[in-house]
Amino acid sequence: MKTLVICSGGLDSVSLAHIVAAEGNLTRLVSFDYGQRHRKELDYAAAAARRLGVPHHLIDMRPIGAALTGSALTDDIDVPDGHYAEETMRITVVPNRNAIMLAIGFGVAAANGDEAVATAVHGGDHFIYPDCRPAFTEAFDAMQRMALDGYADVRLETPFVHRSKADIVAEGAKHGTPFAETWSCYKGGEVHCGRCGTCVERREAFHLAGVADPTAYADPDFWAKAVAEKEAR
């Protein structure tokens, strides 16, 4: 199927783009600027589109993002350190973010004759983010079929929704994903901080997958302590 990939520029979505491209189905990447403090991730999404030879649609959602207040990703709120399983990581939720982005993605897909929209939500997201859970993606797929009924037939592809980030690293490695050309850190500094939830999860995923992590971290050892503290609870 001709497939549009929602691509933030992060490890998961860039890996998904490479996998879909290897299958010969990739048509375009769609990214969103919603005022995230780690906006530099969008540069990595653009680079992925150039590398894979497909169009890159960058959607300006900053006015919408400004109204989705209360998140450490968009407001002047410190991004917490620690493992994603920590209750404090809920401050990184941007309300309804995936629902809004996917709705736009489906519109772009329908307008361009694509047959699927693929997103890289995965099992590790379920604890914190309600719009990454299987119940949401299944309901959203059904809703979009009704929204486009009689105009276009576009389905939602979520190949990682029941899989771990370590699985994504393993699959991405098989398909030649240049992991150094992806960005995860929510703090958006010069290098990955190594301490925020997404940095800890990223580093742990490489460890579990048995794949060398090419990422430069400001604090490369914090992840092990964060994981150990989570497992001790």
Side-chain angles (χ1 to χ4, degrees):
M1 294 185 297
K2 295 188 292 183
T3 303
L4 172 160
V5 171
I6 303 293
C7 185
S8 67
L11 184 153
D12 308 329
S13 61
V14 172
S15 294
L16 178 58
H18 275 261
I19 292 167
V20 174
E23 294 168 347
N25 296 325
L26 184 65
T27 58
R28 70 197 73 253
L29 302 185
V30 175
S31 305
F32 299 89
D33 181 354
Y34 56 95
Q36 61 269 48
R37 69 172 67 205
H38 57 302
R39 189 187 184 281
K40 65 188 298 178
E41 67 178 356
L42 299 173
D43 295 334
Y44 292 86
R50 290 193 297 271
R51 188 167 57 245
L52 296 171
V54 296
H56 181 225
H57 303 263
L58 177 58
I59 310 298
D60 186 356
M61 270 179 48
R62 285 175 293 177
I64 297 172
L68 305 178
T69 57
S71 172
L73 302 193
T74 54
D75 284 2
D76 189 18
I77 301 170
D78 289 340
V79 175
D81 295 339
H83 199 281
Y84 255 145
E86 296 288 345
E87 188 71 16
T88 54
M89 291 300 157
R90 291 191 184 277
I91 198 64
T92 64
V93 172
V94 178
N96 228 33
R97 175 179 57 174
N98 277 354
I100 296 167
M101 293 179 180
L102 285 172
I104 295 171
F106 266 82
V108 173
N112 287 277
D114 295 332
E115 300 164 290
V117 171
T119 182
V121 298
H122 62 86
D125 292 331
H126 298 169
F127 179 79
I128 303 295
Y129 305 112
D131 56 2
C132 291
R133 297 170 188 161
F136 164 78
T137 58
E138 291 163 10
F140 192 91
D141 185 39
M143 180 273 290
Q144 278 296 155
R145 289 177 185 271
M146 295 300 99
L148 293 171
D149 184 40
Y151 179 80
D153 185 9
V154 184
R155 62 183 298 178
L156 180 61
E157 292 289 310
T158 56
F160 304 145
V161 73
H162 294 294
R163 304 181 72 183
S164 70
K165 197 177 189 81
D167 292 332
I168 297 174
V169 170
E171 284 297 313
K174 289 179 185 176
H175 291 84
T177 303
F179 295 118
E181 299 302 315
T182 66
W183 184 266
S184 298
C185 183
Y186 280 162
K187 297 185 181 180
E190 191 65 28
V191 299
H192 285 72
C193 74
R195 299 180 63 90
C196 69
T198 189
C199 277
V200 170
E201 184 192 42
R202 179 185 176 109
R203 182 66 188 86
E204 181 187 23
F206 278 101
H207 171 74
L208 293 174
V211 174
D213 185 356
T215 313
Y217 298 97
D219 190 341
D221 301 318
F222 176 81
W223 75 276
K225 176 185 175 183
V227 170
E229 288 178 351
K230 182 200 76 168
E231 293 176 346
R233 287 181 172 83

